[in-house]
């Protein structure tokens, strides 16, 4: 388990560095994202769809406020289209992370974990713990991209990965997009309550998962 946690921690730090850099440079802040979508809406709603998909896709490379973009997608596009746009963007991001890691991740993994037996143990540990991690990944920024990369580099079957990804992401995106669609500038409470509710449920899920892992380890 230690090699798995080590690699995931390094990946998280890499993604976190892009988040910090973006904030320092003032790139893709909540205000900038909202302004961009407002400008796109004035030109053509189709541009809003394209902007949402693109913004959520580049989350793989530069951390963006995913939940905020999903809420705004619902606000500008309405529930069905907002959800579809956000889900398309997030799915493209994780598929790219999976594919890149599957194709090029072996060298990086060999550098981080030099012992072949340890790498084998790491793959087995992710095969066991990965499904819960993937399903609950939306509980924190950058974890969805980290788990996608781990699934790719450990050769988790794509359909298996997508099944657990969908279990966690589809309800998350759906609730957020719907909350955004019924919110307004004068009444943002649905979006606020949805954000708090989503994170609360996911954090509780993580707490239960960690507790079960601890009990199983002790036993």
């Amino acid at each position: 388990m230690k090699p798995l946690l080590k690699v995931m921690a390094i990946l998280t730090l890499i993604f976190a560095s892009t988040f910090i850099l973006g904030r320092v440079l003032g790139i893709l802040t909540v205000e900038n994202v909202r302004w961009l979508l407002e400008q796109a809406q004035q030109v053509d709603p189709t541009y809003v769809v394209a902007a949402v998909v693109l913004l959520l896709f580049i989350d793989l490379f530069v951390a963006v406020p995913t939940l905020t973009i999903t809420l705004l997608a619902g606000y500008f596009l309405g529930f069905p289209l907002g959800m579809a746009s956000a889900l398309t963007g997030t799915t493209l991001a994780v598929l790219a992370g999976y594919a890149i890691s599957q194709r090029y991740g072996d060298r990086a993994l060999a550098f981080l974990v030099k012992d072949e037996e340890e790498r084998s143990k790491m793959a087995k540990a992710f095969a066991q713990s990965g499904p819960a991690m993937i399903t609950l990944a939306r509980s924190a920024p950058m974890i969805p991209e980290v788990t996608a990369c781990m699934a790719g580099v450990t050769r988790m079957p794509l359909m298996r990965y997508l099944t657990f990804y969908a279990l966690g992401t589809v309800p998350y995106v759906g609730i957020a997009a719907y909350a955004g669609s019924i919110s307004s500038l004068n009444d943002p409470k649905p979006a606020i309550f949805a954000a708090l509710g989503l994170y609360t449920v996911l954090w509780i899920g993580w707490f239960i998962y960690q507790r079960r892992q601890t009990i199983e380890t002790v036993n």
Side-chain angles (χ1 to χ4, degrees):
M1 195 71 172
K2 287 183 179 179
L4 173 62
L5 296 177
K6 173 185 175 181
V7 173
M8 290 188 69
I10 292 173
L11 285 173
T12 302
L13 287 174
I14 292 172
F15 285 117
S17 66
T18 67
F19 177 83
I20 295 170
L21 181 63
R23 294 303 175 273
V24 170
L25 298 177
I27 301 172
L28 295 179
T29 62
V30 173
E31 293 76 16
N32 290 344
V33 167
R34 181 173 173 176
W35 178 86
L36 175 63
L37 295 180
E38 286 176 343
Q39 298 306 306
Q41 177 75 7
Q42 292 178 10
V43 178
D44 190 322
T46 304
Y47 291 171
V48 180
V49 174
V52 168
V53 172
L54 180 61
L55 286 169
L56 291 174
F57 172 73
I58 65 174
D59 189 36
L60 176 64
F61 308 102
V62 181
V64 300
T66 304
L67 180 57
T68 299
I69 294 171
T70 305
L71 290 165
L72 289 172
Y75 173 74
F76 284 109
L77 298 171
F79 170 61
L81 186 55
M83 177 183 176
S85 302
L87 191 59
T88 298
T90 56
T91 303
L92 288 174
V94 297
L95 285 176
Y98 179 97
I100 292 170
S101 299
Q102 186 181 53
R103 178 67 178 84
Y104 301 105
D106 287 341
R107 292 182 181 179
L109 187 60
F111 175 77
L112 296 174
V113 183
K114 300 187 182 302
D115 186 85
E116 186 175 349
E117 184 178 351
E118 289 297 305
R119 294 198 298 272
S120 178
K121 290 180 180 178
M122 185 204 72
K124 291 179 180 178
F126 188 76
Q128 180 180 2
S129 303
M133 294 180 179
I134 295 164
T135 302
L136 298 171
R138 294 289 165 187
S139 62
M142 296 162 283
I143 301 302
E145 291 74 29
V146 170
T147 53
C149 292
M150 290 303 304
V153 78
T154 59
R155 302 297 193 273
M156 175 182 282
L158 179 59
M159 291 310 300
R160 177 176 169 81
Y161 166 73
L162 287 176
T163 297
F164 294 110
Y165 162 79
L167 285 174
T169 300
V170 172
Y172 174 94
V173 171
I175 292 170
Y178 178 74
S181 72
I182 61 174
S183 299
S184 66
L185 296 179
N186 296 325
D187 183 22
K189 291 194 293 295
I192 295 171
F193 291 152
L196 293 174
L198 284 168
Y199 281 128
T200 299
V201 170
L202 289 169
W203 288 336
I204 290 173
W206 265 116
F207 174 78
I208 294 172
Y209 169 71
Q210 291 292 343
R211 186 174 179 81
R212 289 185 62 182
Q213 287 292 98
T214 301
I215 293 173
E216 290 176 4
T217 301
V218 172
N219 293 336

